[in-house]
């Protein structure tokens, strides 16, 4: 809705100031702006995102209050590390209530519009059987360019002339019109038939439908009002075009309003409503130099341009922000729940095997370490997923008596960021230490970590279950301790980390999203592990949140 609001706000500021343009031209601009604003929210959902460089740069400098998914914090000096939210959490029941209120309001507005149209269709009116009036109608139709003869009716239930209809428009007169002079009837018919020639009523009906659908947004109603105002003034200009004196016509308008005993039916194009009568009179007597009509060719060109503008505008997006869908493990099938649970061995994890390193004592007296808590799965980097890399990363690690893996190094890797992601995951697992003769001791072990695209979906589910996504009601964290990455000779790269920020404000790195090579990845991980944040909070309760960190390394 932001883009639609911008379009209507610009129209509201610009179109009324185009006094050198004719009312017909301003009406066309209002109708085009309203049409674009009506289409944008729908096109925004179906069109692929278009992110030109200037749009990303613009979104990056927006204030925090306008940039919910953008930058949270940045290092004060040098800007070497940028932390961003990775997605938005659905607003839960609040979003459901908002959607329900919108649908309820739209339904009420559309039902109200339908009832008004039904009353209009059932309006008690009779054909006019007066040769004088019929002849004046035909003359006015020829003068304003209306082909065929609209239905001419008379109705005791209205006070001023009105027009409506699409296939066969109706011009409806009040009963007192039978005594009007030829001059007044000619002016009335010219005005009402100008609406028919311009197809104003179908456009008016479309505007009413749009406003009913977007009932909560005041700018749509402002556009509808501006369009209706210019429609009446454009019909007045058409009356002037057939040679009627503007002062005489203004007097006729005032006389019709004064003599009216009943209001005009809702959803009709009425000749002389009191709401904008003063403005119309002023426009008539001011001697406006521009009363030009808009041709069908110009109308087609403008509406085509409006449609073409709406497509790139709807697709336009700022900085690319990944949106992760949060999946709770409680909703997973039982077969997957077994894999999510902490592993007592290796069969339910991405660990293919753990072998005691050859430097250890003989296998007859040694029990290899086992994974006790599989807290973070080894996750794919963007590059590895794109290239379909699969295989096993072998890591030599020292498994201490406390169950933590230290002194990690890659024995056999896959590249594409997977080697570093294996190290990131392994550091966070808790092991049951190996034993010799039944006594726990620290020992070197080779851990085979399997990367399989079939397993990747499950690993993503586990990772997404670790944290609340940033969204409505979640206060974002702020950096309170920031550490700049070391200067590495010859380095110029960016490492993107996928991070869960724990409730105590300590970042827990899940994986490398964008790799720059093992050494640079390691430097980025070690640097960001030292950052500390004020915790994110939902209300007064600290929560985990998911975010990304871009670590820029320079020589």
């Amino acid at each position: 809705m932001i883009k639609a609001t911008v379009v209507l706000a610009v129209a509201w500021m610009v179109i009324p100031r185009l006094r050198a343009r004719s009312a017909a031209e301003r009406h066309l601009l209002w109708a085009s702006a309203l049409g674009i604003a009506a289409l944008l929210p729908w096109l925004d959902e179906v069109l692929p995102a278009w992110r030109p460089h200037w749009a990303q740069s613009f979104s990056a400098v927006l204030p925090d209050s306008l940039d919910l998914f953008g930058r949270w914090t940045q290092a004060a000096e040098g800007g070497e590390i940028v932390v961003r939210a990775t997605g938005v959490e659905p607003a839960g029941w609040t979003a459901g209530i908002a959607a329900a209120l919108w649908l309820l309001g739209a339904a009420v507005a559309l039902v109200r519009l339908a009832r008004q149209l039904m009353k209009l269709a059932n309006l008690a009116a009779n054909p006019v059987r007066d040769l004088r009036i019929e002849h004046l109608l035909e003359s006015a139709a020829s003068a304003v360019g209306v082909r065929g003869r609209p239905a001419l009716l008379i109705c005791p239930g209205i006070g001023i002339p009105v027009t409506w209809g699409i296939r066969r428009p109706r011009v409806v007169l009040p009963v007192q019109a039978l005594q009007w002079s030829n001059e007044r009837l000619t002016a009335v018919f010219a005005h009402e038939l100008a609406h028919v020639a311009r197809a104003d009523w179908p456009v008016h009906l479309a505007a009413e439908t749009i406003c009913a659908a977007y009932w909560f947004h005041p700018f749509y109603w402002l556009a509808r009002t501006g369009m209706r105002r210019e429609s009446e003034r454009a019909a007045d200009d058409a009356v002037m075009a057939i040679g009627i004196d503007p002062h005489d016509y203004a007097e006729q308008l005032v006389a019709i309003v004064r003599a009216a005993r009943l209001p005009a039916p809702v959803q009709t194009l009425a000749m002389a409503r009191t709401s904008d009568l003063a403005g119309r009179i002023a426009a008539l007597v001011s001697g406006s130099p521009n009363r030009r009509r808009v041709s069908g060719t110009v109308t087609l060109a403008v509406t085509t341009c409006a449609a073409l503008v709406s497509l790139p505008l709807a697709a336009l997006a700022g900085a690319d922000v990944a949106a992760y869908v949060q999946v709770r493990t409680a909703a997973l099938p039982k077969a997957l729940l077994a894999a999510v649970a902490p592993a007592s061995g290796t069969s339910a994890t991405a660990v293919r095997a753990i072998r005691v390193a050859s430097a250890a004592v003989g296998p007859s007296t040694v029990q290899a370490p086992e994974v006790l808590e599989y807290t973070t799965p080894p996750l794919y980097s963007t590059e590895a997923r794109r290239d379909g890399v699969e295989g096993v990363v072998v890591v030599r690690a020292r498994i201490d008596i406390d169950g933590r893996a230290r002194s990690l190094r890659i024995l056999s890797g896959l590249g594409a960021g997977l080697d570093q992601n294996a190290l990131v995951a392994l550091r966070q697992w808790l092991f049951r230490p190996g034993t010799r003769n039944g006594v726990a001791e620290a020992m070197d072990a080779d851990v085979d970590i399997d990367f399989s695209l079939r397993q990747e979906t499950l690993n993503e589910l586990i990772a997404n279950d670790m944290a609340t996504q940033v969204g409505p009601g979640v206060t974002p964290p702020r950096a309170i301790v920031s550490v700049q990455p070391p200067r590495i000779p010859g380095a110029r790269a960016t490492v993107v980390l996928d991070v869960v920020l724990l409730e105590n404000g300590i970042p827990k790195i899940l994986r490398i999203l964008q790799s720059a090579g093992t050494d640079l990845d390691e430097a980025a991980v070690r640097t960001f592990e030292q950052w500390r944040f004020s915790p994110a909070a939902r209300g007064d309760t600290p929560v985990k949140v998911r975010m990304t960190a871009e670590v820029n390394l320079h020589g």
Side-chain angles (χ1 to χ4, degrees):
M1 293 302 297
I2 294 177
K3 297 173 188 175
T5 302
V6 171
V7 168
L8 294 177
V10 171
W12 178 69
M13 291 186 292
V14 173
I15 296 176
R17 290 167 175 77
L18 299 178
R19 298 183 180 90
R21 313 311 303 176
S22 68
E25 292 168 334
R26 292 193 297 269
H27 175 266
L28 180 58
L29 292 177
W30 272 122
S32 299
L34 190 58
I36 291 174
L39 289 174
L40 279 177
W42 303 100
L43 292 175
D44 198 28
E45 296 296 324
V46 300
L47 292 178
W50 171 48
R51 294 184 173 91
H53 177 73
W54 61 266
Q56 297 191 49
S57 301
F58 176 76
S59 65
V61 300
L62 287 175
D64 289 343
S65 59
L66 299 179
D67 191 16
L68 175 61
F69 315 127
R71 185 173 305 178
W72 280 350
T73 183
Q74 179 172 323
E77 298 295 334
E80 302 295 353
I81 300 181
V82 177
V83 183
R84 299 180 185 276
T86 61
V88 146
E89 181 186 47
W93 62 272
T94 56
I97 289 180
L101 287 175
W102 170 67
L103 290 173
L104 178 61
V108 170
L110 290 171
V111 168
R112 179 173 174 269
L113 176 61
R115 290 185 60 186
Q116 292 170 349
L117 294 176
M118 290 177 63
K119 288 182 179 179
L120 197 59
N122 297 325
L123 191 66
N126 301 308
V128 173
R129 305 298 185 187
D130 188 304
L131 293 178
R132 177 182 71 96
I133 296 177
E134 291 178 355
H135 176 71
L136 291 173
L137 176 68
E138 292 175 356
S139 299
S142 176
V144 299
V146 173
R147 296 180 181 179
R149 177 181 171 180
L152 181 60
L153 307 173
I154 194 160
C155 176
I158 65 172
I160 55 179
V162 296
T163 298
W164 79 88
I166 299 177
R167 296 185 63 182
R168 193 186 180 194
R170 296 168 176 80
V171 176
V172 185
L173 302 176
V175 173
Q176 58 267 31
L178 296 175
Q179 282 75 48
W180 285 351
S181 66
N182 290 354
E183 291 77 11
R184 179 174 296 181
L185 284 170
T186 298
V188 167
F189 289 149
H191 180 95
E192 300 301 332
L193 293 174
H195 284 308
V196 174
R198 289 166 35 82
D200 281 340
W201 195 80
V203 176
H204 163 81
L205 187 59
E208 292 293 329
T209 305
I210 292 170
C211 288
Y214 297 101
W215 59 271
F216 57 88
H217 201 309
F219 277 15
Y220 284 88
W221 296 98
L222 288 173
R224 188 280 309 258
T225 301
M227 192 180 72
R228 176 182 284 183
R229 178 176 60 249
E230 299 301 344
S231 169
E232 294 301 324
R233 294 185 182 184
D236 292 341
D237 290 343
V239 175
M240 302 299 98
I242 67 173
I244 295 179
D245 182 76
H247 292 82
D248 292 341
Y249 179 62
E251 291 177 1
Q252 300 288 0
L253 286 178
V254 173
I256 290 173
V257 171
R258 286 178 175 173
R261 297 288 187 271
L262 297 169
V266 181
Q267 307 309 340
T268 59
L269 298 173
M271 180 181 180
R273 296 184 192 271
T274 58
S275 56
D276 188 44
L277 185 61
R280 290 172 61 190
I281 297 298
L284 287 169
V285 301
S286 66
S288 173
N290 189 349
R291 300 189 187 277
R292 186 167 45 244
R293 297 182 182 182
V294 174
S295 67
T297 302
V298 172
T299 301
L300 179 61
V302 171
T303 53
T304 301
C305 289
L308 294 177
V309 166
S310 64
L311 293 176
L313 185 58
L316 182 65
D320 186 8
V321 178
Y324 293 91
V325 179
Q326 189 174 25
V327 180
R328 294 293 178 188
T329 54
L332 295 177
K334 292 181 179 179
L336 294 185
L337 284 175
V340 176
S344 58
T346 62
S347 60
T349 71
V351 179
R352 178 171 291 186
I354 301 178
R355 302 177 302 278
V356 176
S358 58
V361 296
S364 61
T365 61
V366 172
Q367 176 66 43
E370 297 178 352
V371 176
L372 185 62
E373 291 184 9
Y374 181 69
T375 53
T376 302
L379 298 174
Y380 265 73
S381 65
T382 303
E383 177 187 0
R385 185 188 295 110
R386 182 193 65 211
D387 296 340
V389 179
E390 292 186 309
V392 176
V393 175
V394 182
V395 181
R396 172 71 56 82
R398 181 75 171 176
I399 309 299
D400 288 343
I401 296 178
D402 62 1
R404 295 297 178 183
R406 296 180 172 85
S407 303
L408 278 63
R409 62 188 177 94
I410 302 294
L411 295 183
S412 175
L414 297 172
L418 297 184
D419 301 348
Q420 186 61 43
N421 283 348
L423 299 180
V424 167
L426 189 55
R427 285 194 184 99
Q428 300 180 56
W429 297 346
L430 180 64
F431 290 81
R432 180 180 289 113
T435 62
R436 184 175 59 174
N437 298 325
V439 179
E441 70 171 35
M443 62 178 61
D444 292 334
D446 296 341
V447 183
D448 294 353
I449 300 178
D450 188 19
F451 282 91
S452 168
L453 291 172
R454 294 188 303 273
Q455 184 79 2
E456 173 63 7
T457 300
L458 174 60
N459 289 342
E460 287 286 351
L461 294 178
I462 300 171
N464 285 341
D465 192 54
M466 289 180 173
T468 299
Q469 299 287 343
V470 175
V474 176
T475 303
R478 297 290 175 184
I480 55 178
V481 175
S482 59
V483 177
Q484 292 301 304
R487 296 288 176 176
I488 301 176
R492 186 172 184 84
T494 297
V495 178
V496 181
L497 307 176
D498 184 7
V499 182
V500 166
L501 185 66
L502 302 177
E503 295 93 335
N504 57 7
I506 298 176
K508 178 179 180 179
I509 298 170
L510 299 182
R511 62 172 154 179
I512 311 295
L513 283 174
Q514 178 179 310
S515 173
T518 302
D519 293 339
L520 298 182
D521 292 348
E522 184 71 12
V525 169
R526 292 301 186 190
T527 297
F528 196 70
E529 283 178 337
Q530 301 176 63
W531 279 51
R532 295 295 180 266
F533 294 80
S534 63
R538 187 187 295 278
D540 296 328
T541 305
V543 294
K544 300 176 185 176
V545 291
R546 192 83 172 269
M547 61 190 189
T548 62
E550 300 173 8
V551 182
N552 299 308
L553 302 167
H554 301 284

